Amino acid sequence: MDYFLPSPDCDTISKTYNGQIDSHLIQKTNDGYREILPNLPRGKGWMTEHLVQYQGVWLTPNFALKGLMWVQDHFKPRSTDICLATFPKTGTTWLKALTFATVNRTRYGFADHPLLTTVPHGCLPFLEACPNDLDGFPSPRLLSTHIPYTLLPNSMTVNQSCRFVYICRDPKDVLVSKWLFMNKLRPKELAPISLEEAFELFCQGISHYGPYWDHVLGYWKASLETPEKVLFLKYEELKEEPSVVVKRLGEFLGHPFSLEEVSKGVVEEIVKLCSFENLSNLEVNKSSVLKLSTQIIIDNRHFFRKGKVGDGKSYLTDEMIKRINEITSEKLLGSGLVFGS
């Protein structure tokens, strides 16, 4: 069963896959958006001037909020859908590459693989970025999202129509990676956010799709309740034993590696293809851009910084590290989840 490669230019929700505008549904979403927006709590934005709080989660006012409302009201999941879910800067790019390469390993050769010429985000579209486009994609669909599990429509969770792969990462590394990334995307007319500002906002839960700990716990609890539907991974374990995790990924996705594939080194070839060293040095990831919307255009090179474990400690003070660790212990108490490998 092959997962098809969609267009790398996933446009806004204002058009369908075949280019026809569903004006009624778009108008319904826009009307609801305009009605609630003025009354939503506001917080300082990282990439934009403000974030708004909607159903307990902090979102960018236009792109993320409107996309979420569209998904909640109109997205039609299929039983064959697989959705990669992440909090920003927890390993999204890497997980997308590994997943796409794993499920399509019989369709593409390593010498002319789409990942050599397409950024991983172009292979797995963001659900909230182009949900209406997705209706035209053939099944099975390989999707991605930053939406918390608790905010997804019941058709995706309660009815268990979709399978999810989730990855978490140490919050200290997430904070620093996100701060550096968002400052690169922040408009020039807005002053850069200092690390101290980003730290306070992160600890308060005011960051894209935050609070971070709530985001992680939503998928963690779902993975305990329905392990056949939600695979929960850790970035640190993926860094430590990538081949082991890729095998787990293949098994969960219904694409287990045969003994012959293992003996021929197919798993290691996938790990090599999707490695930070390989992807970050490809021309497409050094000079091309990803267009998420007419307002959000990102240089592919910004998706590749270091990809290391523990780098956050190089930026944070001892007091910052202590506070984040205390928050983490409090939030995860009794959950059975521990960050790291």
Side-chain angles (χ1 to χ4, degrees):
M1 186 178 288
D2 291 331
Y3 288 77
F4 293 91
L5 175 68
S7 167
D9 282 326
C10 198
D11 211 339
T12 63
I13 64 174
S14 63
K15 65 178 183 179
T16 60
Y17 179 78
N18 61 9
Q20 298 298 315
I21 297 176
D22 192 331
S23 58
H24 173 70
L25 295 182
I26 291 173
Q27 188 63 46
K28 182 178 179 181
T29 298
N30 287 342
D31 288 346
Y33 169 79
R34 283 192 291 267
E35 180 180 350
I36 68 168
L37 185 61
N39 301 316
L40 296 178
R42 284 190 171 195
K44 185 178 179 65
W46 296 50
M47 183 178 68
T48 56
E49 186 175 5
H50 298 105
L51 294 177
V52 294
Q53 190 180 42
Y54 178 70
Q55 298 181 356
V57 175
W58 292 94
L59 305 162
T60 52
N62 190 2
F63 177 77
L65 174 57
K66 191 178 291 187
L68 169 62
M69 294 178 67
W70 179 275
V71 170
Q72 290 180 333
D73 293 340
H74 306 301
F75 177 64
K76 299 176 182 178
R78 302 173 189 169
S79 60
T80 54
D81 286 345
I82 291 177
C83 192
L84 272 62
T86 61
F87 188 87
K89 309 313 295 178
T90 56
T92 306
T93 305
W94 193 15
L95 183 61
K96 283 187 174 186
L98 289 170
T99 301
F100 185 81
T102 296
V103 300
N104 285 298
R105 63 184 185 270
T106 61
R107 189 179 183 204
Y108 304 114
F110 292 110
D112 57 351
H113 203 280
L115 287 172
L116 298 176
T117 55
T118 305
V119 69
H121 297 288
C123 297
L124 281 77
F126 275 111
L127 186 59
E128 52 269 43
C130 53
N132 207 24
D133 282 353
L134 301 176
D135 290 342
F137 286 173
S139 295
R141 298 181 299 186
L142 199 53
L143 313 171
S144 66
T145 188
H146 286 321
I147 298 175
Y149 190 81
T150 53
L151 265 63
L152 291 168
N154 288 342
S155 57
M156 295 181 70
T157 57
V158 175
N159 299 338
Q160 298 181 355
S161 296
C162 306
R163 280 182 290 169
F164 295 89
V165 179
Y166 187 81
I167 189 166
C168 74
R169 189 180 186 184
D170 187 291
K172 296 182 288 295
D173 289 347
V174 175
L175 161 61
V176 170
S177 182
K178 190 170 187 178
W179 166 62
L180 292 169
F181 180 78
M182 292 300 178
N183 261 339
K184 294 174 183 176
L185 306 184
R186 194 169 169 84
K188 294 181 180 179
E189 59 268 22
L190 299 177
I193 291 184
S194 68
L195 177 56
E196 291 72 22
E197 284 182 291
F199 173 79
E200 288 298 331
L201 291 169
F202 190 82
C203 289
Q204 295 170 33
I206 305 176
S207 64
H208 301 75
Y209 298 94
Y212 175 61
W213 297 271
D214 295 353
H215 197 288
V216 172
L217 285 172
Y219 283 94
W220 170 250
K221 292 175 181 177
S223 73
L224 298 179
E225 295 170 357
T226 54
E228 73 283 0
K229 289 292 183 179
V230 182
L231 176 65
F232 193 95
L233 303 175
K234 297 180 180 180
Y235 184 88
E236 294 78 11
E237 292 178 346
L238 184 54
K239 288 289 292 184
E240 188 174 320
E241 296 184 301
S243 295
V244 173
V245 176
V246 168
K247 289 179 185 177
R248 283 182 60 198
L249 186 62
E251 189 75 31
F252 176 80
L253 297 173
H255 292 261
F257 290 89
S258 66
L259 292 176
E260 182 181 3
E261 286 180 309
V262 172
S263 65
K264 288 184 176 180
V266 174
V267 176
E268 287 72 21
E269 285 290 335
I270 289 176
V271 171
K272 181 180 178 182
L273 170 69
C274 302
S275 68
F276 178 88
E277 292 73 21
N278 183 55
L279 292 181
S280 63
N281 284 298
L282 295 174
E283 186 61 32
V284 66
N285 294 328
K286 292 193 293 183
S287 60
S288 297
V289 300
L290 177 73
K291 181 181 179 183
L292 288 178
S293 73
T294 53
Q295 293 82 31
I296 303 178
I297 302 174
I298 305 172
D299 288 344
N300 289 346
R301 58 188 173 86
H302 293 331
F303 293 116
F304 304 91
R305 189 176 68 87
K306 289 185 178 179
K308 293 183 177 180
V309 171
D311 185 58
K313 294 180 180 179
S314 302
Y315 294 81
L316 304 176
T317 65
D318 291 341
E319 290 76 14
M320 288 176 170
I321 292 173
K322 180 181 178 182
R323 183 175 171 190
I324 286 189
N325 287 342
E326 288 176 347
I327 294 174
T328 299
S329 297
E330 179 183 339
K331 294 287 187 179
L332 301 189
L333 182 65
S335 68
L337 174 62
V338 178
F339 286 118
S341 57

